[in-house]
Amino acid sequence: MCGRARAAAAETVQNAARAVGGGRSEPQWDDADRYKARPNAHPGQSLGSIVAESGVVRVCTDTWGLIPKGGGGDHFKMFNARSETAFVLRSFRELYRNGRAVVVLDGFYEWTEGALKEKQPHYAHRADGEPLLVAALRANGTCTLLTREVVPSLSWLHDRMPVIFEDAEKARAWLDDRSSEPFDFGSPPDLATHPVTKKMSKMNYQEDDASDPIKEPKKLTAFFKPTPAQTGATKRRGQPQTPPPAKRPAENKQSPPAAKGTITAFFEPTPD
């Protein structure tokens, strides 16, 4: 994924945490004042993370973009991690056992190539309108989102996508598991997509309409008439060609000799 998402409202995060916790109690969120739901969130900004410690589910405000202990301060270096290898890579393997989280999003953004090679952003979200429960790893108040190979229906959009849990029960199983073996994330829920305004390609665009659907822009070629070659009016290479018409012989441009008996025969040259 390309590092843009719509961060869910605080109430949505709280409700998701309650569902993951089984609805038995209200999950605690000590640093909720640090959280800000953004329509166009990017690494370096806050996300709502659900965690489970000693069987108790609570919510944390994490900064998107993992910075391990003693690491640098660039949140763009590790804003996502491949789920297929995170359990063995040195940067993530300890967190895979003891730093699991579930991040709550409304949806995420990806770009495709449009007319004149301009990038057209698209917004992906659950088809049923429910928030996305995304597998994540966290440390030191920062987090990274796990990704997986994209489902076939979205292969036109990107080759990777977030690891999204089908339901709260599967998300809770991820939090409670402490194994160093690969976790079975199951199949993601059905997702829907639509094109959105290109204004949101700028990270500072934080208007609420960032994820609103727009009409798919027409390709530039639609404004031009097809050429003869495109319509098949011209002969294609390899087909027999009609020979050009034979040239007619050049006409004699000289004037014909004067016929006998014409008026010139009645005049004779005068002597000097």
Side-chain angles (χ1 to χ4, degrees):
M1 59 181 298
C2 291
R4 298 288 188 87
R6 186 177 182 99
E11 182 179 1
T12 301
V13 176
Q14 196 76 42
N15 290 339
R18 188 182 301 110
V20 171
R24 291 185 291 271
S25 60
E26 188 71 16
Q28 189 174 355
W29 192 353
D30 293 333
D31 54 358
D33 58 325
R34 291 182 47 238
Y35 181 74
K36 184 176 181 179
R38 290 180 172 87
N40 189 17
H42 58 75
Q45 297 180 330
S46 60
L47 297 178
S49 299
I50 303 172
V51 300
E53 297 174 349
S54 302
V56 178
V57 172
R58 64 185 182 90
V59 184
C60 300
T61 300
D62 287 335
T63 301
W64 188 5
L66 186 69
I67 298 180
K69 185 177 181 180
D74 188 353
H75 292 284
F76 284 86
K77 285 185 176 181
M78 289 193 289
F79 64 84
N80 59 26
R82 287 177 173 262
S83 60
E84 300 91 339
T85 57
F87 66 98
V88 293
L89 293 180
R90 184 175 61 179
S91 300
F92 307 117
R93 63 191 179 196
E94 180 59 31
L95 299 179
Y96 197 87
R97 294 181 61 250
N98 300 311
R100 298 185 180 188
V102 174
V103 168
V104 185
L105 303 174
D106 286 335
F108 62 96
Y109 300 95
E110 292 292 355
W111 280 256
T112 59
E113 189 173 285
L116 295 178
K117 296 187 177 180
E118 291 183 0
K119 298 294 185 179
Q120 173 60 52
H122 296 260
Y123 180 65
H125 58 95
R126 281 188 66 136
D128 59 9
E130 293 296 314
L132 306 183
L133 302 179
V134 181
L137 304 175
R138 64 184 300 268
N140 307 313
T142 65
C143 67
T144 184
L145 305 184
L146 294 183
T147 65
R148 56 171 293 164
E149 185 177 348
V150 73
V151 293
S153 61
L154 293 180
S155 60
W156 61 272
L157 186 60
H158 202 278
D159 60 347
R160 304 289 297 177
M161 63 178 287
V163 173
I164 305 170
F165 296 109
E166 172 66 33
D167 50 40
E169 289 74 17
K170 193 68 173 178
R172 180 60 188 268
W174 159 251
L175 294 178
D176 289 340
D177 186 69
R178 290 292 185 268
S179 172
S180 59
E181 297 299 316
F183 184 81
D184 180 12
F185 294 103
S187 300
D190 291 335
L191 299 180
T193 65
H194 58 252
V196 296
T197 176
K198 292 181 181 179
K199 295 178 182 178
M200 64 73 50
S201 295
K202 296 181 178 180
M203 289 190 296
N204 61 358
Y205 189 81
Q206 295 296 335
E207 300 299 324
D208 198 54
D209 66 354
S211 61
D212 287 354
I214 64 169
K215 291 183 178 180
E216 185 74 53
K218 292 183 179 180
K219 293 184 178 180
L220 188 63
T221 53
F223 295 95
F224 295 94
K225 293 182 179 180
T227 63
Q230 292 171 327
T231 59
T234 58
K235 294 290 183 180
R236 296 182 180 178
R237 183 178 300 175
Q239 292 184 342
Q241 302 291 324
T242 303
K247 294 183 179 181
R248 298 177 60 185
E251 296 182 355
N252 188 354
K253 300 299 183 180
Q254 296 180 358
S255 300
K260 293 182 179 180
T262 60
I263 191 171
T264 55
F266 294 93
F267 295 92
E268 295 181 358
T270 58
D272 293 331

